[in-house]
Amino acid sequence: MGVLFVAASNLFAIFPAQMVRKSIDLIREILGKLTQSNDSQKVVLREELATNVFYFFLLVIAFAIIRGVFMYLMRQTIIVMSRHIEYDLKNELFVHYQELDQGFYRANRIGDLMARISEDVGRVRMYAGPAIMYSINLVVTIILVLSVMFTVNVRLTWLVIAPLPILSYAIFKINNLINTRSDAIQNQLSSITSFVQEAFSGIRVVKAFAAEEASSLSFEKETESYRKKQMSLAGVEAFFFPLMLFLTGLSSLITIYIGGLEVIAGRASLGNIAEFVMYVTILVWPVTSLGYTSSLIQRAAASQARINEFLETKPSLEYPTGNPLDFKEEITFENISFTYPGKTIPALDKLSFSIPKGSTFAILGTTGSGKSTLIQLLLRLFDPSFGKIKIDSKNLEELDLVQWKEMIGYVPQDVFLFSDSIANNISFGLSHESELLNERIVNASKMAALHENIMGFTQQYETRVGERGITLSGGQKQRVAIARAFIKNPELLILDDCLSALDTKTESEILKNLQEIKRNKTTIIVSHRVSSVKDADKILVLHEGKMLEFGSHDELIELNGSYSAIYSKQIQEDLTLE
Ligand SMILES: Nc1ncnc2c1ncn2[C@@H]1O[C@H](COP(=O)(O)OP(=O)(O)OP(=O)(O)O)[C@@H](O)[C@H]1O
Ligand SMILES: [Mg+2]
């Protein structure tokens, strides 16, 4: 339909030129008659001229309106279609990004992901909309206008269109120059954006180290380079429009001069000159746009290739669905080893143990001993390099991952809050239609020893936490994350070192609440501190990815190894603190 509308709007652009030719030829004709007529005939002739010209005038206006309607319809079809394509492509990319695994996010910068979903999609849209529209316009205009011109006067047509290819080529060259310079500006702009983003997410550090001046200086360097690049673009652009106007004007002049010669030779009428000047004006825009359109198409092709590169990336982990999950007995780690991609030293080394359903399992270890890594394997953010994790007797890799994760409440070590209200941060991942959602939020935060704190805020649960939760204290953030895990009432609760920012009193309050929550539920607690783990059914002591000791608190004390050493040391510290 868009193609039809483009054709129709062009057709109505041609008619006015013919009206002008007819009017001028009529004036000439009447002028000729006037010299040989008496006064009363002159009045009749003048009236004839006036009615005819008025009639042409009305037609020109009518054509302009009809043309306008078709141009509107042409944009409504082609440009609107391109917006739909943009929408689909953005959503498709976003959904795909979410499916990709950790390896992908390590290999690609967030800035790159953002650029492809916004800029590159935008460029593809420029192809699907404007570039296609201008191309159709170009073909239709050239066919229509040239065929009309040739039927009017072949010789004049050839002479008049001769300079147009030069115009098109000049525009193409200048446009390429403009594009290279705009790309440089675009790159500089992303560099400025990331600089500002980093400078202000790290504003606390900048201020604490009184590094404002250094930061401003670096920023000035970035903007200075941006300014220079903009100036160089402005230089070319300043050249672009005058050149276009000059070449257009030149074409008109040539038309008038050659047309004049043709009229003198008796091969054309005066009206033809006016008509041809109008045709040339109609032709100039599509011919100019040829250069512009071809560069749009080039850039869109490059962008689509970048988008496809991501769309064709498949997640390296397979996520089977539909293999129902049954967790009745235990989770077993069978001889698990894991080395992070790109590293040589294993983060986990030949670990074997099992976690019976309903028990509390604790992992204690020095920093870097592999505690968080073990949890990540359990969440299938990575698959083990060797060995198998089994749920009852089934391999975790073959089970439905969505079901598995729905069963888990996880508090990560580095808490991430979204810039939203506290309530929405706690109910994250639950549907907003969940029954009694508000009650559940309050309950969960009571269990996380957070409720009193929140009630002290003026906006209570509606308090917004700022980007990444910047307006909350470290301990408050941790407890929001704990409440987020509690509210799911999960079968399997995983707490990765999430009590570390809390004082011993709050810690023991949460641990006490945990006793209540964890009835019939499986709990995994990761910690540096013996106080968090000593009540667990089994304690795994990790050191450099290896199992050092394994057993209950009493058994480990009896063993009189490193656990008991850590225990007596930390008991001492707590006593001196009190
Ligand atoms: N994404 C990663 N890529 C590569 N190596 C990693 C990655 N995450 C952790 N490591 C390495 O794996 C080892 C174990 O890290 P892990 O985070 O499991 O330690 P942890 O026991 O949780 O320590 P902490 O108590 O400090 O949280 C460390 O040597 C660490 O440098
Ligand atoms: Mg850790």
Side-chain angles (χ1 to χ4, degrees):
M1 291 218 335
V3 177
L4 288 183
F5 292 140
V6 174
S9 77
N10 275 304
L11 203 57
F12 284 95
I14 292 175
F15 289 139
Q18 293 175 355
M19 297 296 118
V20 169
R21 185 226 311 155
K22 285 187 179 152
S23 313
I24 290 179
D25 287 347
L26 187 75
I27 295 171
R28 244 213 102 113
E29 198 191 314
I30 289 176
L31 262 179
K33 284 184 191 164
L34 269 179
T35 46
Q36 309 138 19
S37 43
N38 58 32
D39 283 355
S40 62
Q41 281 173 319
K42 278 183 181 165
V43 173
V44 176
L45 281 173
R46 282 209 182 95
E47 261 172 24
E48 191 192 329
L49 179 71
T51 31
N52 272 311
V53 170
F54 183 64
Y55 163 72
F56 289 141
F57 164 77
L58 282 186
L59 275 181
V60 168
I61 300 234
F63 288 145
I65 292 174
I66 299 176
R67 181 175 181 224
V69 171
F70 279 119
M71 281 175 85
Y72 171 78
L73 291 174
M74 151 184 112
R75 300 202 142 253
Q76 281 297 307
T77 42
I78 300 183
I79 303 293
V80 166
M81 171 198 73
S82 75
R83 290 289 179 198
H84 284 303
I85 290 177
E86 180 186 28
Y87 169 84
D88 282 346
L89 200 51
K90 274 198 166 132
N91 285 319
E92 189 183 344
L93 254 180
F94 189 82
V95 169
H96 188 71
Y97 279 170
Q98 294 201 80
E99 280 169 6
L100 293 170
D101 54 69
Q102 305 279 311
F104 173 79
Y105 290 98
R106 209 184 28 253
N108 296 288
R109 290 175 305 131
I110 302 287
D112 202 14
L113 266 66
M114 275 160 63
R116 291 188 205 202
I117 210 169
S118 55
E119 247 165 76
D120 285 322
V121 169
R123 286 188 181 167
V124 171
R125 185 202 77 87
M126 285 301 279
Y127 165 71
I132 285 187
M133 190 173 77
Y134 292 142
S135 307
I136 299 171
N137 199 33
L138 173 76
V139 174
V140 172
T141 318
I142 286 186
I143 292 176
L144 277 180
V145 174
L146 283 190
S147 54
V148 172
M149 284 170 86
F150 276 118
T151 52
V152 174
N153 189 323
V154 177
R155 214 178 117 85
L156 191 56
T157 307
W158 279 122
L159 291 171
V160 164
I161 61 171
L164 288 182
I166 303 170
L167 172 67
S168 187
Y169 184 73
I171 299 286
F172 179 70
K173 277 286 161 196
I174 294 183
N175 219 48
N176 271 352
L177 206 59
I178 288 183
N179 280 343
T180 16
R181 301 205 177 167
S182 325
D183 283 347
I185 288 177
Q186 202 58 48
N187 284 339
Q188 186 55 29
L189 197 63
S190 357
S191 157
I192 289 183
T193 314
S194 9
F195 184 89
V196 172
Q197 201 201 354
E198 210 170 65
F200 292 105
S201 7
I203 188 72
R204 288 181 178 188
V205 182
V206 172
K207 279 186 185 277
F209 283 79
E212 289 97 335
E213 207 175 305
S215 183
S216 302
L217 278 178
S218 316
F219 184 66
E220 219 174 287
K221 248 188 229 154
E222 298 276 340
T223 44
E224 172 62 18
S225 146
Y226 179 73
R227 188 179 69 92
K228 286 210 179 107
K229 286 176 177 149
Q230 281 286 13
M231 294 307 247
S232 86
L233 176 65
V236 194
E237 275 180 345
F239 203 51
F240 184 79
F241 286 101
L243 180 77
M244 212 179 102
L245 290 178
F246 173 72
L247 290 174
T248 318
L250 199 63
S251 298
S252 299
L253 277 181
I254 293 173
T255 312
I256 293 171
Y257 176 67
I258 296 173
L261 293 181
E262 290 290 292
V263 172
I264 293 169
R267 283 190 289 258
S269 72
L270 254 188
N272 285 142
I273 300 181
E275 185 185 12
F276 269 59
V277 168
M278 289 182 76
Y279 289 145
V280 169
T281 322
I282 296 175
L283 278 181
V284 163
W285 166 242
V287 168
T288 326
S289 74
L290 181 64
Y292 172 66
T293 314
S294 46
S295 66
L296 276 188
I297 295 175
Q298 270 176 10
R299 307 178 105 198
S303 288
Q304 184 70 57
R306 273 198 293 274
I307 292 171
N308 287 349
E309 188 196 338
F310 277 180
L311 280 181
E312 281 157 14
T313 311
K314 294 269 170 291
S316 61
L317 302 177
E318 274 183 44
Y319 302 127
T321 49
N323 203 350
L325 187 85
D326 215 13
F327 176 38
K328 288 213 174 68
E329 285 154 21
E330 57 181 7
I331 302 168
T332 325
F333 275 61
E334 280 184 11
N335 207 18
I336 297 288
S337 293
F338 179 72
T339 312
Y340 278 103
K343 289 220 170 172
T344 44
I345 302 166
L348 294 175
D349 201 5
K350 301 198 191 83
L351 291 180
S352 298
F353 56 86
S354 65
I355 307 172
K357 186 175 177 175
S359 70
T360 303
F361 187 86
I363 306 168
L364 185 81
T366 47
T367 154
S369 56
K371 305 184 292 297
S372 300
T373 306
L374 198 156
I375 301 299
Q376 293 198 39
L377 294 190
L378 200 53
L379 289 167
R380 271 206 81 198
L381 294 177
F382 295 99
D383 280 338
S385 318
F386 295 102
K388 288 201 165 48
I389 300 178
K390 287 187 171 166
I391 312 300
D392 290 358
S393 56
K394 283 193 195 131
N395 193 344
L396 178 61
E397 289 176 30
E398 285 153 20
L399 295 172
D400 188 321
L401 196 66
V402 176
Q403 269 188 44
W404 175 235
K405 286 188 180 167
E406 271 168 2
M407 210 179 261
I408 297 175
Y410 167 52
V411 186
Q413 184 172 19
D414 45 348
V415 173
F416 190 96
L417 301 187
F418 296 90
S419 61
D420 202 340
S421 65
I422 293 184
N424 285 344
N425 263 299
I426 293 178
S427 63
F428 179 77
L430 296 183
S431 96
H432 281 274
E433 283 95 59
S434 300
E435 267 178 72
L436 304 174
L437 187 62
N438 287 337
E439 253 165 73
R440 287 176 65 189
I441 293 174
V442 172
N443 259 334
S445 65
K446 276 184 182 158
M447 287 299 184
L450 181 65
H451 181 68
E452 311 266 293
N453 242 280
I454 294 177
M455 295 318 273
F457 298 150
T458 36
Q459 286 175 290
Q460 301 184 339
Y461 280 91
E462 287 314 307
T463 309
R464 301 191 66 88
V465 302
E467 226 169 283
R468 289 164 184 247
I470 195 154
T471 59
L472 298 181
S473 76
Q476 285 163 348
K477 269 189 279 194
Q478 276 195 340
R479 280 173 292 155
V480 171
I482 294 173
R484 183 190 280 166
F486 282 178
I487 198 171
K488 283 177 81 178
N489 192 18
E491 278 301 316
L492 174 60
L493 184 64
I494 302 176
L495 309 174
D496 188 354
D497 210 10
C498 64
L499 304 172
S500 64
L502 305 177
D503 53 75
T504 28
K505 190 168 150 278
T506 320
E507 180 188 12
S508 59
E509 187 182 341
I510 296 178
L511 286 172
K512 203 184 90 225
N513 293 338
L514 205 56
Q515 297 295 333
E516 215 170 293
I517 295 175
K518 71 187 185 190
R519 252 175 235 142
N520 303 320
K521 302 276 156 61
T522 316
T523 313
I524 300 177
I525 300 180
V526 171
S527 185
H528 293 114
R529 292 207 298 220
V530 177
S531 55
S532 307
V533 304
K534 65 179 192 307
D535 297 322
D537 300 310
K538 286 278 184 241
I539 302 166
L540 166 68
V541 184
L542 270 185
H543 184 68
E544 292 178 353
K546 293 189 185 67
M547 180 189 285
L548 205 61
E549 288 171 11
F550 185 70
S552 69
H553 175 77
D554 295 337
E555 287 165 0
L556 292 180
I557 290 292
E558 195 130 312
L559 198 68
N560 205 10
S562 54
Y563 178 86
S564 105
I566 300 169
Y567 179 65
S568 19
K569 196 165 155 252
Q570 289 188 1
I571 287 287
Q572 277 296 314
E573 279 169 8
D574 286 351
L575 283 178
T576 38
L577 274 178
E578 274 164 24

